Amino acid sequence: MTPKNYASGFTNIVFFLAIILFSSCQKNISDTIATPVTDSLPQYSIANTPIRLSVVGKVMDEMNNPVQGAQITGGGLTAVTNANGIFKITNGNFNGSFATIKIEKNNYFTLVKTFSSTTGATQYINAKLSPKTLIGKIGSAGGNINFGNGNVSISFPAGAFINSAGNPITDSVFVYGTYFDPAVADFNSRMPGNMSAVIAPSAMNYLTSYGMVGIELKDQNAQTVKLASGKKATIAANIPSSMLSAAPTTIPLWYFDEDKGVWVNQGNASKEGSKYKGDVSHFTFWNYDINGPLTFYYVYFKNRADGSPLPYYRFSIQPTTPVAAYELFDYTDGSGATMGLLPANTDIRLRFFNVDGTVLLDSIIGPFTLPSNNGGTIFISLPQPPGIKGTLLDCNGQNITRGIIKANIDSLDYSSTLEVNGNFYIPLSVLPASNTPIYITGYDSITNTAITPFTINYTDTNSLKTGFIFSCPNPPSQFIAYTIDGGQNHFFQRNLDSAFCSKTFAYNRTNIACRRANGTPQVEGYVAFITGPNPPVAWNDTSSILTLQQYTTASTPSSLNIISFTESYFSYPPSLAVPGWVIGKFTCIFRDDQNAVHTVRSNFKMLRN
């Protein structure tokens, strides 16, 4: 498959076809889930692929505020959202073909999100709850209710209501409703399920929605009310103006099965002017949709620069035929992969987003004609996103060259392998709220040592600096370490106010002087350096070293000829006379009095008090 169009700078997108664990053509009874016989609902079966996976999600309300205390059910497990609206289900037992997460909160419609995944994955979902708004009361004589800013009306016949025991209800019934306009940006996060649907007994379809309606009926005691046998209510919903010209005269009606996480065909609606009107015999979420064949797919997203996976990144798909008024948004899983469904036999617009919403890829893929499709790789040219940076050191303050650093944020796991200089950078694809704790762990592959876990807080910055992380227990609170000429000769000092090492602070400069007796080469006899941002340069700027000198005795030192000097800081006090941490590193190449060239590399951390 070759993309037909893509944003400038993105070339050679590879999207291969692979076999999925399930197929819309499956007929084996042992591999299907059948619906029980209930009233006059259609009897159908869907694919069942038992898997174990974890799900992390964020639940928001209609104002985009996090929802705390929402009850989460999925995979045979339960969870509750925290103050940031975050939840996690760990190693639940799901149907990988139609995995579901149910979200419940008082005064909101229950929301079930449906997705496809594989064993061992960590899936990320984003959900927005819809308030359960009282839209009116209807008596036993029936009547009509309008809601959704005039987009929806419901007509009830006389004598339509019964309670759960089947007895007629003569008191007024409370009607709660919500309307989902597919042309609105948050349609995908609010809608239940996904766009998969079934026509009994087992024909799977892909849907294009022209509008969704959610209805609940309650009696005076807040108990569920049903429509009596033989009674039907009529729902009329506006067709979005952007879709009106393409709207067919007759459109299938679909209800949502919360237990299976799939839309089910039951009846049709007719186009009357700018509305669709159809009859229903029970209430849940109803959907006006055209349908067509679908195909399952699996694909990896990776960073073009280094081939690393892109976990928890947002992307969207949009069928081009028929033209949908909306994009369907989703997220890659913890391995940078995604699987799910696409409409068959049509081009698909695929967009991939950076954490700030910038579009990194805008491409046409497809059309796909097979029932299931091979997973391949799409490479994304990714600018450096917000992330966590630092350096891993051993017990002597030297850089560790092989290992891994892990971060857990809002139950999402990120990781980064070390660079050869011990540096790491963990990109974040989902930004947490301010002051969210970040749990850091890792592993030193040189010594086979686990890093002592610690916690930092997110501070709304694009680059969160951890500074130096030690792979040994009891790391020093202050230290200086340097190596001479490739690290064969090194110096490490924990106590910066000892006989061997001292620190002073003059103006806004930090002076550090350390000596190592009987060292070789001669430059290690006594070494002093002075470093720090120098006014009038901005306080968070990095400046050149001020002096680097060689001591051969306790007498006056001789200056060294500096060839080049580079430095960087994780932390430095923001202004004059302000206490704070001085944390950084430098590399200095210099020529000694014997005209020999040497390289000093240093890591340091000290408290300016």
Side-chain angles (χ1 to χ4, degrees):
M1 188 284 299
T2 303
K4 296 179 175 60
N5 177 40
Y6 43 85
S8 101
F10 304 107
T11 58
N12 300 324
I13 299 172
V14 183
F15 195 100
F16 297 106
L17 303 179
I19 300 301
I20 298 303
L21 296 176
F22 54 90
S23 166
S24 59
C25 299
Q26 287 178 303
K27 299 299 181 182
N28 190 332
I29 294 299
S30 65
D31 295 329
T32 61
I33 299 176
T35 58
V37 177
T38 305
D39 298 328
S40 59
L41 297 181
Q43 303 306 302
Y44 68 92
S45 61
I46 59 174
N48 182 25
T49 310
I51 63 171
R52 291 179 66 86
L53 68 112
S54 299
V55 183
V56 177
K58 186 170 187 177
V59 181
M60 310 294 284
D61 64 15
E62 71 279 12
M63 303 302 294
N64 290 320
N65 297 314
V67 175
Q68 183 176 10
Q71 300 294 316
I72 310 298
T73 306
L77 302 173
T78 60
V80 178
T81 56
N82 65 15
N84 294 325
I86 304 298
F87 71 87
K88 184 172 185 179
I89 295 286
T90 303
N91 292 328
N93 295 302
F94 290 87
N95 174 8
S97 304
F98 299 94
T100 60
I101 289 290
K102 178 183 285 189
I103 306 168
E104 298 174 283
K105 177 71 174 177
N106 287 340
N107 302 317
Y108 288 91
F109 280 92
T110 296
L111 179 59
V112 174
K113 302 301 288 184
T114 305
F115 56 92
S116 303
S117 193
T118 57
T119 290
T122 296
Q123 197 76 29
Y124 180 76
I125 66 173
N126 189 284
K128 181 181 286 189
L129 298 183
S130 299
K132 191 181 292 184
T133 303
L134 178 65
I135 60 175
K137 294 189 292 184
I138 295 291
S140 60
N144 186 75
I145 292 178
N146 295 293
F147 72 100
N149 296 321
N151 283 300
V152 184
S153 65
I154 309 175
S155 298
F156 297 93
F161 305 124
I162 59 173
N163 60 23
S164 57
N167 300 317
I169 294 178
T170 56
D171 295 331
S172 293
V173 170
F174 295 91
V175 184
Y176 299 86
T178 187
Y179 169 68
F180 299 159
D181 182 347
V184 175
D186 64 358
F187 172 73
N188 192 204
S189 58
R190 291 181 62 202
M191 64 166 280
N194 54 21
M195 301 313 295
S196 61
V198 62
I199 299 176
S202 60
M204 297 304 302
N205 283 254
Y206 187 90
L207 301 181
T208 298
S209 179
Y210 281 74
M212 295 184 187
V213 177
I215 303 292
E216 281 191 17
L217 307 179
K218 299 290 184 179
D219 64 14
Q220 304 287 335
N221 298 315
Q223 299 301 305
T224 298
V225 173
K226 300 179 180 181
L227 293 180
S229 177
K231 299 290 185 177
K232 291 187 177 182
T234 300
I235 302 177
N238 281 347
I239 302 170
S241 58
S242 60
M243 305 177 74
L244 184 58
S245 62
T249 56
T250 301
I251 194 168
L253 273 174
W254 312 78
Y255 72 88
F256 186 67
D257 185 338
E258 284 189 2
D259 293 332
K260 306 297 186 296
V262 67
W263 294 94
V264 184
N265 177 232
Q266 189 178 33
N268 295 282
S270 299
K271 184 180 179 183
E272 297 184 6
S274 61
K275 294 179 180 292
Y276 276 127
K277 184 179 289 187
D279 295 335
V280 301
S281 59
H282 58 98
F283 281 108
T284 173
F285 283 95
W286 284 93
N287 202 352
Y288 298 82
D289 294 62
I290 58 175
N291 59 293
L294 57 72
T295 178
F296 289 101
Y297 73 98
Y298 192 103
V299 64
Y300 281 98
F301 291 95
K302 292 187 177 182
N303 190 339
R304 186 184 298 277
D306 58 11
S308 60
L310 298 177
Y312 318 124
Y313 272 86
R314 190 169 181 247
F315 67 93
S316 71
I317 60 171
Q318 184 177 19
T320 60
T321 306
V323 177
Y326 51 88
E327 293 179 84
L328 296 175
F329 295 92
D330 204 346
Y331 291 83
T332 59
D333 67 17
S335 65
T338 183
M339 67 180 296
L341 58 92
L342 293 172
N345 308 319
T346 183
D347 289 342
I348 307 294
R349 184 187 185 191
L350 171 68
R351 298 208 299 166
F352 192 93
F353 302 91
N354 202 358
V355 64
D356 61 359
T358 304
V359 178
L360 300 178
L361 174 71
D362 192 341
S363 175
I364 299 296
I365 61 174
F368 302 103
T369 59
L370 300 177
S372 57
N373 297 280
N374 270 336
T377 302
I378 294 180
F379 291 97
I380 303 294
S381 294
L382 186 71
Q384 189 175 71
I388 306 168
K389 65 189 305 184
T391 303
L392 184 62
L393 304 180
D394 64 17
C395 295
N396 294 317
Q398 305 304 307
N399 298 342
I400 292 175
T401 57
R402 286 192 291 114
I404 188 170
I405 297 293
K406 298 180 179 180
N408 181 278
I409 311 170
D410 280 339
S411 297
L412 294 177
D413 293 316
Y414 299 88
S415 64
S416 172
T417 55
L418 295 177
E419 300 175 8
V420 294
N421 57 5
N423 293 341
F424 63 85
Y425 188 85
I426 303 175
L428 304 181
S429 48
V430 179
L431 293 184
S434 181
N435 295 318
T436 296
I438 301 174
Y439 305 98
I440 304 293
T441 58
Y443 194 77
D444 174 0
S445 298
I446 301 296
T447 61
N448 296 322
T449 303
I451 297 166
T452 302
F454 67 97
T455 302
I456 58 176
N457 289 330
Y458 182 70
T459 56
D460 292 327
T461 58
N462 282 339
S463 181
L464 186 62
K465 301 174 181 178
T466 65
F468 296 112
I469 300 174
F470 280 82
S471 66
C472 56
N474 302 315
S477 59
Q478 301 185 61
F479 74 94
I480 178 173
Y482 63 78
T483 59
I484 307 293
D485 296 340
Q488 290 82 3
N489 300 280
H490 66 264
F491 176 85
F492 178 70
Q493 180 63 44
R494 287 173 175 256
N495 187 350
L496 297 186
D497 292 306
S498 70
F500 291 95
C501 224
S502 65
K503 60 178 181 178
T504 59
F505 303 100
Y507 197 38
N508 197 48
R509 304 170 186 174
T510 301
N511 304 343
I512 315 168
C514 296
R515 64 187 180 88
R516 179 175 180 177
N518 302 320
T520 57
Q522 189 178 19
V523 70
E524 270 199 313
Y526 295 83
V527 176
F529 59 88
I530 305 171
T531 184
N534 187 17
V537 181
W539 302 121
N540 59 356
D541 191 34
T542 57
S543 65
S544 297
I545 195 168
L546 301 178
T547 63
L548 177 63
Q549 300 175 324
Q550 174 188 354
Y551 287 79
T552 55
T553 66
S555 61
T556 303
S558 58
S559 296
L560 301 173
N561 180 15
I562 297 175
I563 299 173
S564 67
F565 176 82
T566 58
E567 64 178 339
S568 62
Y569 289 90
F570 293 114
S571 174
Y572 203 89
S575 61
L576 299 177
V578 174
W581 286 100
V582 178
I583 307 173
K585 59 179 67 177
F586 75 75
T587 299
C588 183
I589 301 175
F590 62 93
R591 195 181 304 274
D592 66 16
D593 56 2
Q594 303 298 314
N595 208 34
V597 174
H598 303 279
T599 300
V600 176
R601 289 185 172 87
S602 176
N603 301 317
F604 51 87
K605 176 182 179 182
M606 66 208 72
L607 181 65
R608 189 173 86 177
N609 44 30

